[in-house]
Amino acid sequence: IYRLMDAEKAKHPIAVMARVLGVSTSGFYGWKAKGSKLSARAARDEELTETIRQIHVGSRKTYGGTRVQWS
């Protein structure tokens, strides 16, 4: 999520993106201060999130959590 926010910061305010995405601005700035490195778990979570997003979009946004789980 923080990488997305960093990529879109020229288009949208950080505070607005944080509120919409359900994260804190301090979390974003903390991530940025650490050199934008993710922990191993956070990296796996981002990969999983992207996989889930692709399944959802591939189903024309009709699959919910239960159907994504079995895809």
Side-chain angles (χ1 to χ4, degrees):
I1 290 180
Y2 294 141
R3 269 193 256 171
L4 170 68
M5 291 173 66
D6 195 39
E8 297 295 320
K9 68 183 176 189
K11 298 176 188 174
H12 308 287
I14 295 297
V16 172
M17 288 190 289
R19 187 176 62 246
V20 169
L21 296 170
V23 297
S24 67
T25 55
S26 61
F28 170 77
Y29 290 116
W31 170 82
K32 195 78 171 147
K34 285 193 320 186
S36 306
K37 293 183 181 180
L38 296 176
S39 67
R41 180 178 177 162
R44 287 191 309 272
D45 285 351
E46 278 201 359
E47 288 175 22
L48 179 58
T49 299
E50 184 55 33
T51 301
I52 291 168
R53 189 172 286 121
Q54 288 173 1
I55 292 169
H56 182 67
V57 169
S59 73
R60 294 175 302 188
K61 300 183 180 181
T62 59
Y63 281 10
T66 302
R67 293 183 87 183
V68 168
Q69 180 179 359
W70 297 107
S71 293

